[in-house]
Amino acid sequence: MSMESTRSANSAKRSFNNNSNSASSNSNSNPSNKKKKTSQKTLGVAWGSNSRSSSRSSFSNSPFSNFGSYMVEKNRKLQNQFEAEASTSSHGGSGSVKPIFDGVSIFVDGFTVPSSQELRGYMLKHGGRFENYFSRRRVTHIICSNLPDSKIKNLRSFSRGLPVVKPTWILESVTANKLLSWVPYQLDQLANNQPKLSAFFTLKRSSVSNGASTHAPCQVNPEAEDSSLKVGTSGDTYFSEVSEPFEHSKQISGESDDLVDENSNASLVEEPANSSGKPCEVAMAVPSNIDTEDESSVKNYLQSNHYQPSALVSSNCINNQNMKGSPSSTVSEPSNQSHSTLGDPNFVENYFKNSRLHFIGTWRNRYRKRFRTLSDGFNCTSSNIKASALKTAIMHVDMDCFFVSVVIRNHLELRDKPVAVCHSDNRKGTAEISSANYPARDYGIKAGMFVRDAKALCPHLVIFPYNFEAYEEVADQFYSVLHKHGNKVQAVSCDEAFLDVTDSEGDPQLLASKIRREIFETTGCTASAGIAGNMLMARLATRTAKPDGQCYIPPERVDDYLSQLPIKALPGVGYVLEEKLKKQNVWTCGQLCMISKDSLQKDFGLKTGEMLWNYSRGVDNRLVGLIQESKSVGAEVNWGVRFKDVKDAQNFLSNLCKEVSLRLQGCGVEGRTFTLKIKKRRKDAEEPTKYMGHGDCENLSHSTTVPVATDDVEVLQRITKQLFGSFHLDVKEIRGVGLQVSRLESTENSKQGLERNSLKSWLTSASARTEELCKNNYVAKESSNQGCEGEGDETLGQLCGNSVGLSIQMDSNTSNGAACLNEVSVPPPICHLDMGVLKSLPPELFSELNEIYGGKLVDFVAKNKGKTENMNHTLRAYSHEKIEGAMKEGQAALLPSMVFQNEIPVENKAKQHIAKEVPAVSGAESFVPASGLTKTDLIPSSLSQVDTAVLQQLPEELKVDILEHLPAHRMQVFSPNVLLYPTEIPLEALGTKTAENNSGSKDFVLDNNLWFGTPPHWVEKFKVSNCLILNILAEMYYKSGSTGNLSPILQCISSVSIHQLDAFQDGWDEAMYILCELLKQYIKLKIELDIEEIYVCFRLLRRFAMKSEFFIQMYNIVYPYLQALVGENYGGNLHMSLKD
Amino acid sequence: MNLVVQRACHPQLRDYIHSAVFGLLPFIQKGMVERAAVIFFNTDGIPVERFVFKLAVNQSYGSKVEDANLEFSLRSFLIKLSVSESLTKVLPRDYRWEITAYFRSLPEASANKDVEQWIPTDTRQWEQPPLLTPIKSMSSEPLCVQLYIEHPSLSEPKP
């Protein structure tokens, strides 16, 4: 069309530099021409590949004797064509070299990202074959980007055992100019049977000895891989995977199946068997080896944690060993995924399970629990010590390189060899050494070093993984020994403690050697001890004593000892402080002594200054046993954090909250201030050297304080979600997340407050109360029901009970809700309170409310009492009559909902009158019909009974919370209640109901969510509805492929004959209302971004409207709304042409 | 992209289109362009048809765009565009057209020489809200584009 109009050079009102761009646009012309050509071909092939079925159907008219002969002929022709083309196209290339794809014959299945025609071009050019039709004999590889589920499930019958490979295989082979192994390019959907890390995670930990013995083979095995290459390639595969989101989403949808697959360890062995010949041989040659390797690698994974870049790398090692034959084989990216937050749904849990820091951090709780009595008793006496200012003797006991010596305590032969502990033993890895023994330290190996650096320093360094169970065991033994020798023990860490030995008899030095000997005998590990007059000096003495020795610093030697001591040795002097001091030319404690206290305090702050001043003189006033209460509790994950979308992140956060909540509970504290820390990748930061590490990051943090301390996981999750939202981050940039809780209070103090504040607790307590109420009412009702005993008897009674009970239940929930709201906001004005509610409140609640309203409530109730009582009475009587009538008609009590459905119109009319009289009782009215549909059981503690009016008044996040709390199976129960309100509304819409006040505002708070969730809420609602049209809609939702869009659903409906849809009378108005609401919400949802969808829907609706009275009405109601919104957003009206 | 795209064969016309679209690019990237329209108008400068591209760019994405996903959306978009001819009427020969961008805020002229390429337009507006015919909406994560045609409302006073 643009060619029709002349170009308006003068009227375009825009001056461009035409010449500058002409060159580039000309240069573009060639490739685009080419593109045109290829894409035209694509169309041809698309027809070709689709036509198999169509030609089958039209075969009866064809001149060939049968389909088979036709296909034979066609294949022959295609082959000839291909060969002819191949001979011409390969002319251009260098003919002498053996073509890349010699002997490869591909069949392209479905849509691929380089089109099948392009692939054909490559095959032409590089000596391969291209088959248009699948044949087991001729085809060697199937190329496709995506497979439908049915084919995946029936892979054998689909592929006939041929490899199914991604098209990138061909592209990269062409790039590499040689035929690459197809194994790494196997279709992701199929690659799931390859080992994944999550599979390892779920396995049980193997025992220490097992791990140690299996460790050797793992090391012995040649490691052909280059880790840098590995990291690179895994990154590559990641990206290639990103470029195929179709598959990806498929994969996700099928994840549950996958999980089952991947859990079996056997797939490890199976996998090489799948691959081409050579690797298979390897696998056969060392079958037993593979098993052990697995095990040890499993162990590696288990021990691996966030420092642990090479967890993946070692998995690579396995992969590579399995595929030794194919040197270019790369890591399958599932392992990549599942080791980050991307793939592993239990990432947080596993992360902490395998973290050393976590072990140390949580060890204290364990210790407290185990030695509670001991330390408690001791704490009592500690105050006494203070009084007695005798000459004290403090002993500091510290295990020698705890993490290593525990692991090798059963390996005597390793005692003098350099050994280090690390998550993984890959010589090229970037895992950090967490601890090294003294022989290793002689080589210059330090904690925190990368494995590859350590190995460079000491090639025969033996690396062991963590063994947390052993650590726990040894730590317990260690403390048992200490507690045996003194009841004043202060635990510093799992391997380090102070003892106050002032009161013990005998020489402290003798005691120390005794303790050390016992420790060695029980644990098999050595410990060092320092003895001095205070904790500081004892600790410093230990430093001198190490390894496996002891040292006593008598008071008179303190000054000597300190004068040459480097400042760094002082506890509390870290890197930063050291640097600052060095700038002042202070290197030793002796030099530090010369600085006055005042100037120290000026430079480093009051506390630090004083500490430095004291420590440099060997003064330490701390008492053994004064355990510092932790100021904050938190959890932080800085490794392996990669999110694909917001959902991932939310999921991760909620897991983190769970962890933090557990820690809080473990410590017996609750906190008020919540700080969320985020590490965000810097804009220019590259992928970190450490695999899955956080790299160069900006640290962001937000915090919030709540009025009442909590450790409740749900509250934590809510708060965290809010905090997270306040960052406004792209989740893909996040590299680390930490949640810290501070302003701690011990649980006992805050228990009461918590009880009141926890959302769950008030809900449960509310429903418990209402249940009680309900029972009372049930009894009351029963007696008043005696008049209608004859029919329905039990069932009827129950029904009535339900009806009344329910209404009251809801009412009292309202009040509870209101009460709860009061804590956070202003109470609603008195006139808004529902009388029915107030009346049925339990006295204590009522008095509480009354207090809130300053006593006015009583008057108010008294004033209204007469009226409402009257009112309720009539109402109840009325509804009972109705039930009675219905029963008499022979309708079984089994179908109470049906019965009520019929009654509703009548009842509505009745209500109309009533409503005019006493508008305030609207609560009661709307609940009466509701009772009819309740499914005969009252689910206490379910939110389904919360009054919608309450919900509406709740703040948004609370509302969401409540909805989330709703278990899925409750949903159904919930929906009928909601569905019911609309019964009143059509009346309103028709203008018959004038006095309706409250119910309008009740207006279906929840209905705003009709389109939320998958499947959207309305589907459930409609499914259980007893209205035909709604049922059809819900059914069509599933039929149309559950996309969440309306137009496919409507399209499906158009296949049903529309005029049938009018064939219902019951609930016409109700259906009309709910459908209009559905449409309106849909419009609101889509108007911003997808006007096309709305347009399609309304064109379909208009088409329906031509045939259906129902749809005409609906269309007429919604259409003005639509146009108004379109006008608002687009400044125009939708053009609904009248042609079709 | 496995796709057929039409282009003008007159080189200068091609340049105009090319430079206009490329001139828009920096502003689209900054998220300043709300809509870009191809407006067909008669000799009096009264528009008869407007193809409006409504844009929404999510800028937090940076380089992490999933190409294939976007490509898929764009492909369906372009395919739909090429078959939307039936929605339009044949225009008389002497009609003209221009490319107009609607900015969220006017860019500062001095800031950037890209800005100088753009001048305010004086195409007349319709007096009545137009009739919209949506053609295609794509909402791929970083980029949402909606294309619709605007025609003068039936009650629009005829010149």
Side-chain angles (χ1 to χ4, degrees):
Chain A
M1 6 170 188
S2 59
M3 302 188 352
E4 288 282 328
S5 26
T6 56
R7 185 194 169 227
S8 51
N10 49 352
S11 62
K13 302 161 203 81
R14 200 166 288 117
S15 60
F16 284 101
N17 187 347
N18 286 342
N19 294 333
S20 68
N21 285 319
S22 60
S24 67
S25 72
N26 280 340
S27 68
N28 280 344
S29 61
N30 272 342
S32 71
N33 277 342
K34 205 172 170 187
K35 186 154 247 174
K36 203 182 262 179
K37 209 171 139 201
T38 53
S39 35
Q40 275 165 355
K41 274 191 210 154
T42 314
L43 289 176
V45 161
W47 178 82
S49 53
N50 288 337
S51 64
R52 207 156 21 144
S53 56
S54 59
S55 61
R56 206 186 285 268
S57 60
S58 62
F59 164 69
S60 51
N61 318 332
S62 78
F64 294 94
S65 60
N66 60 36
F67 183 73
S69 69
Y70 166 76
M71 282 311 288
V72 167
E73 182 60 17
K74 184 170 180 185
N75 272 326
R76 195 184 53 77
K77 261 189 156 171
L78 285 167
Q79 220 164 309
N80 289 345
Q81 273 174 20
F82 186 83
E83 266 152 24
E85 272 184 71
S87 59
T88 52
S89 70
S90 58
H91 257 287
S94 52
S96 59
V97 189
K98 196 185 168 200
I100 301 171
F101 294 117
D102 193 30
V104 174
S105 175
I106 62 165
F107 167 70
V108 178
D109 187 59
F111 176 82
T112 52
V113 166
S115 69
S116 65
Q117 244 4 61
E118 279 171 71
L119 291 175
R120 181 170 178 264
Y122 288 124
M123 296 313 280
L124 272 176
K125 217 169 172 182
H126 299 283
R129 301 200 53 83
F130 182 91
E131 292 295 332
N132 290 56
Y133 295 102
F134 183 77
S135 143
R136 179 69 185 85
R137 274 181 299 118
R138 290 191 299 274
V139 174
T140 61
H141 294 79
I142 299 169
I143 308 290
C144 65
S145 300
N146 191 24
L147 279 182
D149 265 351
S150 57
K151 284 189 182 171
I152 300 247
K153 280 179 193 140
N154 269 322
L155 187 69
R156 284 274 153 207
S157 64
F158 158 67
S159 69
R160 310 284 190 84
L162 291 174
V164 181
V165 188
K166 286 186 283 188
T168 37
W169 173 58
I170 294 187
L171 299 186
E172 283 177 27
S173 291
V174 171
T175 323
N177 205 21
K178 63 175 181 188
L179 190 63
L180 301 173
S181 159
W182 56 267
V183 176
Y185 299 97
Q186 204 185 4
L187 196 65
D188 293 342
Q189 288 160 295
L190 307 175
N192 288 329
N193 56 356
Q194 290 182 346
K196 285 193 182 182
L197 274 178
S198 53
F200 295 129
F201 274 124
T202 53
L203 287 175
K204 269 210 126 182
R205 284 191 215 180
S206 43
S207 71
V208 204
S209 56
N210 198 0
S213 63
T214 54
H215 199 72
C218 189
Q219 265 193 310
V220 172
N221 277 310
E223 294 171 340
E225 81 291 335
D226 172 0
S227 80
S228 65
L229 172 121
K230 205 80 49 64
V231 172
T233 47
S234 61
D236 282 349
T237 43
Y238 175 70
F239 281 121
S240 75
E241 177 206 74
V242 165
S243 72
E244 272 131 29
F246 315 119
E247 276 159 56
H248 202 76
S249 53
K250 258 279 162 53
Q251 214 178 336
I252 289 165
S253 67
E255 202 157 48
S256 52
D257 304 61
D258 298 345
L259 278 173
V260 181
D261 290 353
E262 76 199 28
N263 268 337
S264 72
N265 203 7
S267 58
L268 242 187
V269 190
E270 211 173 273
E271 189 271 321
N274 281 342
S275 56
S276 57
K278 282 185 207 163
C280 193
E281 273 169 34
V282 178
M284 290 313 181
V286 281
S288 60
N289 223 358
I290 284 182
D291 271 332
T292 42
E293 270 165 32
D294 288 352
E295 219 162 297
S296 65
S297 68
V298 168
K299 229 176 107 56
N300 274 347
Y301 289 126
L302 283 171
Q303 313 299 359
S304 69
N305 67 2
H306 57 305
Y307 307 107
Q308 208 334 24
S310 54
L312 175 85
V313 176
S314 57
S315 92
N316 297 343
C317 137
I318 292 164
N319 276 343
N320 269 12
Q321 279 162 3
N322 288 343
M323 304 191 255
K324 251 176 237 161
S326 48
S328 60
S329 66
T330 51
V331 196
S332 55
E333 93 274 315
S335 57
N336 176 0
Q337 273 197 331
S338 50
H339 208 56
S340 71
T341 53
L342 274 181
D344 185 355
N346 297 324
F347 178 79
V348 174
E349 217 173 288
N350 288 325
Y351 177 91
F352 287 114
K353 208 185 276 168
N354 295 294
S355 158
R356 179 185 66 127
L357 287 187
H358 175 68
F359 171 75
I360 296 172
T362 51
W363 165 84
R364 184 178 293 275
N365 289 323
R366 212 184 119 68
Y367 169 73
R368 279 209 189 142
K369 274 184 197 130
R370 197 177 156 89
F371 298 101
R372 175 181 299 258
T373 47
L374 294 169
S375 50
D376 277 358
F378 165 54
N379 278 341
C380 296
T381 58
S382 70
S383 53
N384 299 340
I385 303 170
K386 215 171 189 174
S388 63
L390 290 171
K391 191 187 152 197
T392 54
I394 307 293
M395 189 192 298
H396 178 241
V397 186
D398 190 6
M399 307 279 286
D400 298 325
C401 41
F402 179 73
F403 282 87
V404 176
S405 49
V406 168
V407 174
I408 61 169
R409 69 195 197 280
N410 295 325
H411 298 265
L412 290 174
E413 74 282 1
L414 287 173
R415 192 141 291 173
D416 302 320
K417 305 250 167 55
V419 179
V421 168
C422 183
H423 333 272
S424 90
D425 175 24
N426 186 300
R427 56 179 59 249
K428 298 283 163 44
T430 55
E432 282 153 16
I433 303 270
S434 104
S435 179
N437 67 356
Y438 284 91
R441 286 182 205 187
D442 291 341
Y443 285 92
I445 290 166
K446 288 183 201 137
M449 210 175 228
F450 281 174
V451 171
R452 59 169 178 229
D453 302 334
K455 287 270 186 176
L457 289 170
C458 172
H460 57 283
L461 178 71
V462 180
I463 293 184
F464 275 96
Y466 290 120
N467 181 351
F468 291 110
E469 279 157 15
Y471 296 145
E472 280 180 4
E473 187 193 337
V474 172
D476 288 347
Q477 289 169 344
F478 170 66
Y479 276 100
S480 308
V481 172
L482 295 186
H483 280 288
K484 207 167 85 187
H485 290 281
N487 58 354
K488 294 173 194 162
V489 180
Q490 178 186 335
V492 178
S493 169
C494 52
D495 62 338
E496 185 184 353
F498 285 104
L499 278 81
D500 188 327
V501 289
T502 314
D503 297 338
S504 50
E505 293 148 28
D507 186 0
Q509 295 200 57
L510 284 178
L511 182 66
S513 45
K514 197 173 157 198
I515 288 177
R516 285 181 48 233
R517 196 174 57 243
E518 274 185 43
I519 289 174
F520 180 74
E521 278 161 8
T522 36
T523 66
C525 304
T526 57
S528 304
I531 306 135
N534 60 33
M535 285 166 76
L536 169 72
M537 292 317 293
R539 181 179 215 147
L540 291 173
T542 313
R543 190 174 160 272
T544 318
K546 272 187 176 262
D548 194 15
Q550 63 187 65
C551 172
Y552 172 57
I553 304 181
E556 59 273 15
R557 280 197 51 231
V558 166
D559 289 343
D560 286 348
Y561 184 87
L562 283 176
S563 66
Q564 290 309 311
L565 193 77
I567 43 170
K568 184 126 205 295
L570 292 177
V573 178
Y575 179 78
V576 176
L577 200 50
E578 186 194 6
E579 286 303 304
K580 278 187 192 163
L581 285 167
K582 277 183 180 169
K583 269 192 198 135
Q584 299 186 15
N585 215 9
V586 175
W587 301 85
T588 64
C589 286
Q591 290 163 324
L592 190 58
C593 278
M594 298 198 272
I595 304 174
S596 74
K597 194 173 184 173
D598 284 347
S599 74
L600 278 177
Q601 287 187 332
K602 204 182 78 201
D603 288 349
F604 304 105
L606 267 182
K607 272 194 175 166
T608 316
E610 182 164 357
M611 180 200 81
L612 284 175
W613 193 84
N614 279 335
Y615 280 13
S616 64
R617 285 159 182 78
V619 177
D620 182 5
N621 296 322
R622 287 175 302 168
L623 285 172
V624 175
L626 286 183
I627 298 166
Q628 283 182 336
E629 282 303 324
S630 43
K631 295 214 177 86
S632 70
V633 172
E636 196 163 346
V637 181
N638 291 333
W639 182 82
V641 178
R642 299 290 186 278
F643 300 126
K644 215 161 33 206
D645 51 34
V646 180
K647 227 170 96 196
D648 274 356
Q650 297 290 14
N651 203 1
F652 177 84
L653 282 179
S654 73
N655 283 331
L656 190 68
C657 290
K658 263 182 225 155
E659 175 68 32
V660 172
S661 160
L662 283 178
R663 288 185 186 191
L664 284 168
Q665 283 159 9
C667 299
V669 290
E670 293 169 349
R672 288 181 50 203
T673 299
F674 300 86
T675 309
L676 187 67
K677 293 190 277 188
I678 301 270
K679 277 190 183 296
K680 176 176 168 265
R681 190 179 73 101
R682 271 192 212 285
K683 270 231 169 73
D684 46 349
E686 293 173 4
E687 203 42 34
T689 33
K690 187 173 173 64
Y691 173 72
M692 279 289 171
H694 57 74
D696 189 12
C697 281
E698 279 173 70
N699 293 312
L700 311 167
S701 84
H702 279 196
S703 70
T704 185
T705 303
V706 295
V708 179
T710 182
D711 61 358
D712 185 77
V713 70
E714 276 140 20
V715 180
L716 248 66
Q717 281 168 349
R718 182 164 51 82
I719 291 168
T720 314
K721 224 178 245 179
Q722 280 170 5
L723 282 172
F724 185 72
S726 63
F727 281 106
H728 299 295
L729 280 177
D730 179 7
V731 293
K732 289 177 184 164
E733 304 282 284
I734 295 173
R735 290 292 177 269
V737 184
L739 177 64
Q740 200 174 41
V741 186
S742 46
R743 293 225 204 161
L744 300 178
E745 297 169 5
S746 80
T747 315
E748 286 75 29
N749 299 345
S750 52
K751 193 127 216 167
Q752 242 178 341
L754 172 83
E755 204 96 290
R756 247 190 310 146
N757 246 268
S758 150
L759 188 60
K760 206 179 196 173
S761 67
W762 74 250
L763 283 170
T764 43
S765 68
S767 48
R769 249 175 252 160
T770 48
E771 197 179 22
E772 222 169 273
L773 258 180
C774 169
K775 256 186 222 151
N776 293 343
N777 268 290
Y778 175 63
V779 178
K781 274 303 102 194
E782 195 110 42
S783 58
S784 75
N785 268 341
Q786 278 163 357
C788 54
E789 74 283 73
E791 54 285 322
D793 44 82
E794 256 253 87
T795 336
L796 178 62
Q798 198 179 352
L799 220 118
C800 297
N802 282 352
S803 75
V804 178
L806 184 79
S807 68
I808 285 165
Q809 195 165 18
M810 291 189 168
D811 290 349
S812 71
N813 269 342
T814 320
S815 63
N816 280 335
C820 210
L821 277 175
N822 292 337
E823 285 174 14
V824 280
S825 65
V826 220
I830 224 167
C831 54
H832 285 190
L833 292 178
D834 192 330
M835 263 311 114
V837 179
L838 291 177
K839 200 168 63 84
S840 50
L841 280 179
E844 68 268 21
L845 261 180
F846 182 81
S847 65
E848 200 179 313
L849 264 181
N850 194 26
E851 225 165 86
I852 291 165
Y853 283 105
K856 284 180 201 151
L857 210 54
V858 189
D859 301 347
F860 185 57
V861 174
K863 238 188 337 199
N864 283 279
K865 199 164 188 177
K867 238 187 195 172
T868 41
E869 221 159 35
N870 234 338
M871 194 51 245
N872 280 345
H873 195 72
T874 14
L875 247 182
R876 271 179 222 157
Y878 193 74
S879 67
H880 292 163
E881 260 171 47
K882 281 293 143 195
I883 295 167
E884 224 175 322
M887 295 296 178
K888 273 180 187 158
E889 276 170 36
Q891 299 277 2
L894 291 170
L895 298 164
S897 60
M898 283 299 291
V899 177
F900 261 92
Q901 207 53 50
N902 294 339
E903 296 311 329
I904 281 168
V906 194
E907 217 154 41
N908 277 345
K909 261 179 232 155
K911 266 187 285 166
Q912 232 171 294
H913 303 298
I914 297 159
K916 272 175 196 154
E917 283 169 30
V918 189
V921 209
S922 62
E925 318 166 13
S926 54
F927 292 127
V928 173
S931 62
L933 280 188
T934 39
K935 298 198 164 171
T936 60
D937 69 329
L938 291 170
I939 304 95
S941 87
S942 153
L943 291 151
S944 60
Q945 288 143 4
V946 174
D947 191 327
T948 46
V950 182
L951 264 181
Q952 195 178 37
Q953 288 183 13
L954 288 174
E956 196 59 44
E957 64 269 14
L958 267 180
K959 224 187 287 178
V960 174
D961 259 359
I962 290 176
L963 291 178
E964 272 174 7
H965 272 108
L966 220 78
H969 66 279
R970 297 279 194 240
M971 216 58 116
Q972 286 181 332
V973 185
F974 196 19
S975 34
N977 288 346
V978 177
L979 251 182
L980 275 163
Y981 302 129
T983 54
E984 288 169 289
I985 298 316
L987 296 176
E988 191 183 42
L990 297 171
T992 51
K993 197 156 200 168
T994 47
E996 188 62 68
N997 61 344
N998 219 353
S999 59
S1001 69
K1002 257 181 202 131
D1003 194 14
F1004 338 119
V1005 195
L1006 292 161
D1007 288 2
N1008 286 330
N1009 306 337
L1010 276 179
W1011 281 97
F1012 287 3
T1014 28
H1017 291 340
W1018 64 263
V1019 178
E1020 276 305 312
K1021 284 187 199 174
F1022 285 14
K1023 208 158 59 177
V1024 297
S1025 156
N1026 46 11
C1027 175
L1028 178 68
I1029 178 89
L1030 302 185
N1031 291 346
I1032 291 177
L1033 267 171
E1035 186 190 325
M1036 290 304 169
Y1037 170 78
Y1038 291 106
K1039 229 182 194 172
S1040 66
S1042 315
T1043 52
N1045 275 354
L1046 186 59
S1047 59
I1049 300 167
L1050 293 177
Q1051 236 143 26
C1052 279
I1053 290 182
S1054 67
S1055 63
V1056 185
S1057 59
I1058 295 291
H1059 58 269
Q1060 281 181 5
L1061 298 178
D1062 276 342
F1064 69 97
Q1065 288 303 317
D1066 299 341
W1068 172 291
D1069 290 334
E1070 177 198 336
M1072 174 73 66
Y1073 175 77
I1074 192 91
L1075 270 180
C1076 288
E1077 191 58 28
L1078 181 78
L1079 281 172
K1080 284 180 184 175
Q1081 286 180 25
Y1082 192 65
I1083 295 169
K1084 223 186 264 173
L1085 193 74
K1086 293 280 181 186
I1087 192 76
E1088 286 259 3
L1089 290 176
D1090 204 348
I1091 196 181
E1092 182 201 0
E1093 165 72 16
I1094 295 174
Y1095 185 62
V1096 171
C1097 289
F1098 272 84
R1099 285 169 64 108
L1100 283 166
L1101 284 177
R1102 225 211 23 243
R1103 211 176 292 168
F1104 298 165
M1106 289 178 180
K1107 298 177 196 155
S1108 155
E1109 184 63 25
F1110 181 77
F1111 277 98
I1112 291 178
Q1113 272 193 30
M1114 189 171 72
Y1115 187 79
N1116 289 339
I1117 292 173
V1118 186
Y1119 187 72
Y1121 179 81
L1122 167 75
Q1123 291 296 18
L1125 264 188
V1126 171
E1128 220 170 85
N1129 280 276
Y1130 294 88
N1133 291 322
L1134 265 192
H1135 179 55
M1136 305 296 291
S1137 72
L1138 300 168
K1139 269 181 281 177
D1140 56 356
Chain B
M1 275 173 68
N2 292 348
L3 190 73
V4 184
V5 182
Q6 312 266 0
R7 73 205 296 260
C9 46
H10 193 288
Q12 278 187 311
L13 179 59
R14 212 156 58 200
D15 289 344
Y16 165 70
I17 297 170
H18 183 84
S19 51
V21 172
F22 268 72
L24 268 180
L25 190 63
F27 302 110
I28 291 175
Q29 279 168 342
K30 281 182 217 149
M32 289 169 78
V33 180
E34 190 200 349
R35 281 172 295 159
V38 178
I39 305 175
F40 295 86
F41 51 91
N42 63 16
T43 40
D44 303 325
I46 296 171
V48 288
E49 192 168 85
R50 291 152 49 99
F51 281 79
V52 185
F53 295 82
K54 194 168 196 271
L55 300 162
V57 184
N58 184 351
Q59 300 195 274
S60 65
Y61 259 76
S63 56
K64 298 265 176 179
V65 177
E66 297 191 355
D67 287 338
N69 208 354
L70 186 60
E71 198 180 299
F72 181 75
S73 302
L74 278 174
R75 186 188 298 122
S76 57
F77 192 90
L78 292 174
I79 288 172
K80 189 72 189 279
L81 177 58
S82 63
V83 298
S84 64
E85 203 174 342
S86 63
L87 297 171
T88 61
K89 281 169 277 182
V90 178
L91 298 176
R93 279 200 74 84
D94 55 349
Y95 276 30
R96 296 181 301 197
W97 62 277
E98 66 177 18
I99 297 174
T100 304
Y102 294 85
F103 283 69
R104 289 204 163 79
S105 58
L106 278 180
E108 290 160 42
S110 57
N112 187 330
K113 75 171 170 44
D114 294 335
V115 180
E116 292 162 18
Q117 292 186 327
W118 294 88
I119 57 166
T121 177
D122 61 355
T123 311
R124 293 218 240 144
Q125 303 288 318
W126 288 311
E127 287 163 28
Q128 297 286 322
L131 287 176
L132 313 182
T133 312
I135 294 177
K136 184 72 194 171
S137 299
M138 60 166 267
S139 48
S140 180
E141 238 324 323
L143 174 68
C144 298
V145 187
Q146 299 197 69
L147 173 62
Y148 53 90
I149 310 180
E150 291 181 359
H151 286 116
S153 149
L154 297 176
S155 56
E156 183 78 21
K158 294 277 184 311

